[in-house]
Amino acid sequence: MLNASLNELSAALAQKKISSAELTQLFLDRTSRLNGALNAFITVDAEKSLAQALAADERIAKGDAKPLTGIPVAHKDIFVTKGWRTTCGSKMLSNFVSPYDAHVIERFNAAGAVILGKTNMDEFAMGSSSETSFYGPVKNPWGPAYVPGGSSGGSTAAIAARMAPAATGTDTGGSIRQPAALSGVSGLKPTYGLVSRYGMIAFASSLDQGGPIAKSAEDLALLLNVMAGFDERDSTSVERAAEDYRRELDRPLAGLRVGVPKEHFGGGLAAEVGKAIEAALAQLEKLGAKRVPVNLPSSGLSVPAYYVIAPAEASSNLSRFDGVRYGHRAKEYRDLADMYFRTRAEGFGAEVRRRILIGTYVLSHGYYDAYYLKAQKIRRLIADDFVAAFKQCDLIVGPTAPTVAFKIGAKAADPVQMYLNDIYTIPANLAGLPAMSIPCGFGKDDLPVGLHIVGNYFSEARMLNLAHQYQKATDWHQREPGGIRP
Ligand code: GLN
């Protein structure tokens, strides 16, 4: 059961081979065995989870089940969750119990899924290693001396360690894809606006996007079916017809044009990662895909542009809070804002303070044009690069991160080294494009490597098609970290 796909779990529940209460207990047991070592969850509440599981069992008995009914899902602790403590990895919110649910949580609740717990993360999602959490660093299940990536590292570690069959994350500059790569799991950042950000605590509102994390592309498709959809409470939510993201999973790859950006194979790329990506590209060609060289000439500027734009938006959020998004919930908004300010004296962690400083500086009079405005122009150039590239190819493939997981503490003192983790993932956020990462091999110290797939706007089904066909032909996504077997 711990290794089963979501379809298999759904079938087992329908055939009464297992109840949701038993399935939930199974993952809760595993979590209580492993969480002390891995620190993937900030909050677990077995009583609440099991009550939801019992309700799901009733629903299944009544013949009213949907695909995810009764399936436990771990949520990044950035999604406010009614009745659950929601900390965003921060001391600031250490006793904040949300009075309402984020849109994403509402969607999973309506589908009958079970909330398995709230996962650990970098404070306010600022980081690439899940080390900046007030609740302590998350350990990588493939080697506890290593980071799992971040900021959604609690969710990716939970999936890798089989503490949860499915999870959610958020991605502002790579926080779903980079930890998915470093933890050896699959994760997808949808097109900006596809998943509502209502109740998803803001980091940088023009970049933030929630998405699913799981063992396979097939599972991601099922989860995205639940998460995606219009929500009038998020002013950037896109109004479009619902899709079934599973619909192209079985399409053959023959004729698919896979763009390979030469800029993503330069100096900073570890040789072992490059080798795994080359092997994956060869596999895709074997499956009928055509390899097309493309150029993303401005992508080299993505990290500096991002580290102007994201801190600028973050510092605005943290000082004024996001009134637009919470406007329909004035009281709840005030509660949350109030919590920020009452506890403010106790201070944010060092990384959050650094971002506020950078953000305030680049927005200040006299520096705005030189930094913020210039970064916005670079953002446009990066988006234009993709417009040109997608005239030549259907999907873009390359490495998710330049290296495999690094040791806890190794980059903590050097913010620039830390920021360079997201060199390949940030361009998709700046352009608002969908992108995902899937396991494609192993590098140094037997640590996982991730394959990055970027699609044109709303081409999630096609990305999942490539990923699923690749996963049918390979077994990297089924590999499990050995050392943590109980
Ligand atoms: N690592 C990047 C940062 O620290 C991206 C984080 C994210 O996507 N939330 O800003």
Side-chain angles (χ1 to χ4, degrees):
M1 286 293 168
L2 294 172
N3 277 314
S5 71
L6 297 185
N7 274 332
E8 287 164 350
L9 291 180
S10 194
L13 288 164
Q15 295 156 12
K16 312 263 161 43
K17 287 190 183 145
I18 192 166
S19 69
S20 172
E22 289 163 341
L23 186 65
T24 302
Q25 191 62 57
L26 191 73
F27 284 104
L28 285 170
D29 286 348
R30 183 150 175 101
T31 296
S32 62
R33 260 200 318 274
L34 298 177
N35 202 47
L38 297 176
N39 202 22
F41 284 86
I42 294 175
T43 304
V44 177
D45 187 332
E47 214 175 289
K48 275 205 191 65
S49 301
L50 289 168
Q52 257 191 319
L54 288 175
D57 282 329
E58 275 175 34
R59 193 166 160 177
I60 294 166
K62 273 194 279 179
D64 178 26
K66 294 191 178 166
L68 290 184
T69 303
I71 292 182
V73 181
H75 293 287
K76 186 176 184 178
D77 207 18
I78 196 169
F79 292 101
V80 302
T81 310
K82 189 172 179 170
W84 288 74
R85 183 166 76 129
T86 299
T87 71
C88 217
S90 183
K91 182 181 183 181
M92 288 294 204
L93 296 173
S94 57
N95 56 358
F96 175 66
V97 176
S98 174
Y100 71 107
D101 279 323
H103 178 83
V104 162
I105 303 287
E106 278 179 359
R107 285 291 187 109
F108 277 106
N109 285 344
V114 172
I115 299 169
L116 192 62
K118 306 296 295 291
T119 60
N120 204 351
M121 54 181 285
D122 282 300
E123 185 178 12
F124 288 104
M126 296 172 187
S128 304
S129 64
S130 301
E131 290 172 287
T132 73
S133 170
F134 173 69
Y135 305 90
V138 183
K139 316 281 171 62
N140 192 324
W142 294 92
Y146 297 90
V147 305
S151 64
S152 312
S155 287
T156 59
I159 298 294
R162 309 302 192 244
M163 294 156 90
T168 56
T170 62
D171 191 311
T172 303
S175 275
I176 288 175
R177 294 161 286 155
Q178 183 262 9
L182 272 48
S183 302
V185 302
S186 304
L188 187 148
K189 178 198 92 72
T191 305
Y192 182 75
L194 194 67
V195 171
S196 168
R197 295 177 297 112
Y198 177 77
M200 193 178 105
I201 296 172
F203 167 2
S205 296
S206 77
L207 301 159
D208 296 341
Q209 185 60 201
I213 296 166
K215 294 190 291 293
S216 70
E218 187 187 48
D219 287 357
L220 293 178
L222 214 56
L223 295 165
L224 190 57
N225 278 354
V226 168
M227 295 175 81
F230 177 64
D231 173 23
E232 64 175 13
R233 298 166 301 185
D234 173 355
S235 61
T236 60
S237 174
V238 181
E239 198 164 359
R240 59 201 310 275
E243 290 180 44
D244 184 349
Y245 295 99
R246 295 169 302 183
R247 71 183 188 280
E248 294 197 43
L249 289 178
D250 292 323
R251 183 172 166 180
L253 294 189
L256 180 80
R257 296 168 306 161
V258 170
V260 183
K262 89 163 193 302
E263 292 82 0
H264 289 191
F265 290 82
L269 184 66
E272 60 196 3
V273 175
K275 227 172 101 187
I277 303 302
E278 277 302 333
L281 284 165
Q283 177 69 55
L284 292 173
E285 287 187 280
K286 227 167 90 189
L287 293 170
K290 262 201 347 248
R291 188 174 168 154
V292 183
V294 295
N295 284 98
L296 300 173
S298 300
S299 66
L301 296 171
S302 63
V303 172
Y306 172 89
Y307 277 96
V308 169
I309 294 167
E313 291 184 13
S315 64
S316 311
N317 284 333
L318 292 171
S319 54
R320 281 191 281 107
F321 216 69
D322 194 340
V324 177
R325 197 169 349 146
Y326 296 87
H328 291 258
R329 287 276 190 173
K331 186 188 167 305
E332 285 83 342
Y333 156 59
R334 279 198 307 273
D335 285 352
L336 199 49
D338 189 48
M339 182 70 69
Y340 269 80
F341 294 114
R342 254 190 302 125
T343 53
R344 190 162 189 143
E346 293 171 42
F348 293 106
E351 186 58 28
V352 177
R353 287 203 303 274
R354 180 180 292 129
R355 306 291 177 105
I356 293 173
L357 215 69
I358 299 172
T360 308
Y361 181 81
V362 300
L363 287 175
S364 62
H365 183 73
Y367 294 102
Y368 183 92
D369 287 10
Y371 293 100
Y372 188 71
L373 210 61
K374 197 175 229 167
Q376 293 292 10
K377 287 178 183 165
I378 294 169
R379 182 175 191 170
R380 162 59 54 154
L381 294 176
I382 287 167
D384 288 347
D385 281 358
F386 282 111
V387 172
F390 283 125
K391 286 187 176 138
Q392 297 166 264
C393 66
D394 304 302
L395 296 170
I396 293 173
V397 169
T400 304
T403 66
V404 295
F406 45 93
K407 287 242 168 79
I408 292 175
K411 299 190 182 183
D414 187 344
V416 173
Q417 279 311 308
M418 188 67 90
Y419 298 168
L420 284 170
N421 264 285
D422 298 315
I423 189 160
Y424 307 131
T425 50
I426 284 173
N429 299 83
L430 290 173
L433 292 166
M436 63 188 291
S437 180
I438 55 172
C440 73
F442 291 88
K444 191 167 61 76
D445 299 330
D446 294 323
L447 293 164
V449 175
L451 184 73
H452 195 220
I453 307 163
V454 185
N456 213 336
Y457 299 101
F458 304 109
S459 67
E460 282 81 1
R462 200 72 217 268
M463 295 194 316
L464 288 162
N465 165 228
L466 179 147
H468 180 63
Q469 292 301 312
Y470 178 79
Q471 291 184 333
K472 265 179 33 186
T474 58
D475 71 348
W476 303 116
H477 64 295
Q478 286 164 340
R479 305 287 183 93
E480 252 188 291
I484 54 148
R485 274 181 192 284

